[in-house]
């Protein structure tokens, strides 16, 4: 009976069957390396006379900005996943599938970035892009809730303030993206700049301390 | 003589020469990360006037559904491979080549997904897509049979119920795909939905317990 | 002085500075996962009426065969690299660069495969493809000679028969490719089949024992 | 309080929270494997009559050279990153983001290589390509300065000569690229050759010893 618990056969049937997380982390790094790198392939130079290269480069400015912003927003999610797996020691059937949901949603970012870069004056493109980002964040949130709700995955229960910080962190970005979508519906052309502000909340330590402090109120 | 057994030179000549599985697992994660991510590149927006973005997005609906379904079906195979390597500790010459066969067949999924998305009213596209999926499953099945038939690869023989579960698991999806191909020949347009039902047999624990129970009869 | 030997600063200046091989192996798996997977992207379906899908599929037959053959030939080189690193424990400055040369040449295979598939009746395409394959093998050969010539990389000298087997293994494929190029110059259309025969010398154990035996004469 | 320090929640808020570097190294290897491999996809054969393959191949000569040069220049940066992580044992919040900056800049190389290959007679293309390379080197320099300035990341302070070597190594390439840009503005067509000379300063041990010696003066 104990032998069966260890077995691959039962790995999916029994949600309490615990596997090491190394393969999930490897797949995550692979998926994010590809998505982040392929973003830049959306930047296509239009055919133009060689002596008008400066004008041509200016015309891909929106695509370029889209690359930078999407790279940063994906970085935040990669960092979030990476931080969670600093605490998660084992993965069960459900956590594997929550990861795959997270990867699938992240994998759509090159598409929705291309959409936003190409139709940068259309509110619908802003909504699709923002919705994609929100869904990634929500998937990471459920991933976190599931992991902290199953102490066998984290080698014992985590301190409440750690759980709370992880939760706020997962939800802060999606909340900001809702605001950015709102801005984008009013004026699609400035929406990318609204999205571009979000990473700084995570990258700049004082800003991070600020929202951490606000969340404690 | 013992030294020679350890040697790279003999690694392929002698099927009993055992290598660690870490490189196979790394190649697997890399291949699946790329395939899953590149699927979304099949979703190409047709050029259209900016004010018809909603209509344009609707026109890529089939491609989008194809991405989601193929991602899920590949996830099942990645999970299957991952679960097998929870039990497989060493790989010999033949197991390496069975893996490479498995990767080669999985690598064709972006092509056959694109075919199905583009020719979604043609039964031939359904057959190619379904056949590709079946062949991946069959390769994984032979991989499993080979591994469980060589106890030196799994650190001793596995319990019969584990072997049996792994076998059923490998064959369940291909059997479903045969049915989905049949549906697809009758009506190609609903075939993708037939394929889309398969993942739930693996993802939803009660459904998984159901077919596990049926197989025990 | 001893401290300096350990340092990153000296890692390249001092060819005797030894680094673990895990990063090289990870880069290798990443590069081969991508090359192998991207090969299939060379298979492009021409635009054609939906009711002529069968004819369209037949027209990509050469591309498809090119994918299968190149996948197999790359697999041999991946297996060769993987086997060598079963014995190589450390890498110095020169071995890193020999690896990067090996990866750069392997990275050209999608290009030369596409060339051969597209211009399958041109002897020049056969020569480019074959030459690319030969150069990969030659790089792997120099990699092997360098590693076995520096016992500090392999934790002491390897038995002569292991060194000899590894050498034969590296050179067998390039020699076959020279023959395949010769066939291809006489009749380019059958060259791909000539290349396709090579993997079997590595995959089928009795064939492998045969050339191993012949080399011992 | 001590528990909180260990937590993922605090991983970003507290710059002194140390994480292992394995995930950064995996992401680095993934990103570089993809960039290096995708470079070759910039080599596009123009449609031409089959009997003019030789002429067609000559026309992609610049793209081909661009692939080789960019592969080599990226190799230098990969080697630089790899060498630094031989000494860096832990990564904090800031080091993660410095890495992501380094990856984002490296990810633009396929774009700027394509630009240079396509507009090889335009000084603006040379400037964009050179600037991209310089920025990668500067990011790696700041990465190095940050790491050596925080002894907790390197398990104690590094010997001054190691720090100095790492610094010179990071800055040598960017300085050369400034010169290459200057050459490129005078004559864009020979700029790629100017860039192509840089790798030899790193690959050939005597040349490396030379600039190491010059830097000691």
């Amino acid at each position: 009976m104990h032998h069966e618990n260890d077995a691959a056969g039962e790995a999916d049937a029994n949600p309490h069957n615990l596997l090491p997380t190394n393969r999930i982390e490897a797949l995550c790094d692979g998926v994010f390396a590809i998505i982040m790198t392929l973003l830049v392939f959306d930047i296509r130079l239009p055919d133009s006379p060689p002596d008008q290269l400066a004008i041509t480069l200016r015309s891909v400015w929106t695509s370029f900005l889209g690359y930078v912003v999407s790279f940063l927003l994906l970085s935040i999610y990669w960092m979030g996943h990476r931080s969670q797996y600093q605490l998660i020691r084992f993965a069960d059937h459900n956590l594997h599938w929550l990861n795959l949901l997270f990867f699938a949603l992240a994998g759509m970012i090159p598409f929705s970035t291309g959409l936003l870069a190409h139709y940068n004056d259309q509110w619908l493109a802003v909504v699709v892009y923002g919705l994609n980002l929100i869904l990634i964040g929500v998937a990471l949130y459920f991933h976190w809730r599931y992991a902290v709700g199953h102490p066998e995955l984290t080698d014992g229960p985590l301190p409440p303030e750690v759980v709370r910080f992880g939760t706020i962190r997962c939800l802060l970005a999606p909340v900001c993206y809702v605001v950015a979508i709102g801005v984008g519906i009013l004026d699609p052309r400035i929406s990318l700049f609204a999205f571009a502000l979000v990473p700084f909340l995570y990258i700049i330590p004082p800003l991070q301390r600020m929202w951490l402090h606000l969340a404690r109120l």
Side-chain angles (χ1 to χ4, degrees), chain A residues 108-182:
Chain A
M108 289 173 198
I109 282 292
F111 172 77
S112 52
T113 304
L115 196 75
L116 187 57
H118 200 244
Y119 295 98
N120 61 330
D121 56 352
Q122 297 284 311
W123 65 266
L124 186 56
V126 175
V127 171
V128 170
Y129 183 71
L131 213 62
N132 193 345
L133 284 167
I134 289 169
L135 287 173
I136 304 173
V138 169
L140 194 60
Y141 167 76
F142 280 115
H143 181 271
W144 177 240
R145 294 311 307 177
Y146 184 83
V148 299
H150 293 78
E152 72 274 16
L153 303 179
T154 49
D155 258 353
L158 300 175
E161 65 273 18
V162 170
V163 174
R164 202 156 142 280
F165 180 89
T167 304
I168 295 166
R169 183 190 186 155
C170 284
L171 292 181
L172 175 69
V175 167
C176 295
Y177 300 145
V178 171
V179 177
I181 289 179

Side-chain angles (χ1 to χ4, degrees), chain A residues 84-104:
Chain A
Q84 291 189 9
Y85 276 86
Q86 202 55 29
L87 295 161
I88 301 171
R89 304 255 184 256
F90 301 101
D92 62 8
H93 172 87
N94 294 332
L95 203 68
H96 272 90
W97 283 107
L98 284 169
N99 265 288
L100 288 162
L101 176 66
F102 174 67
F103 300 157

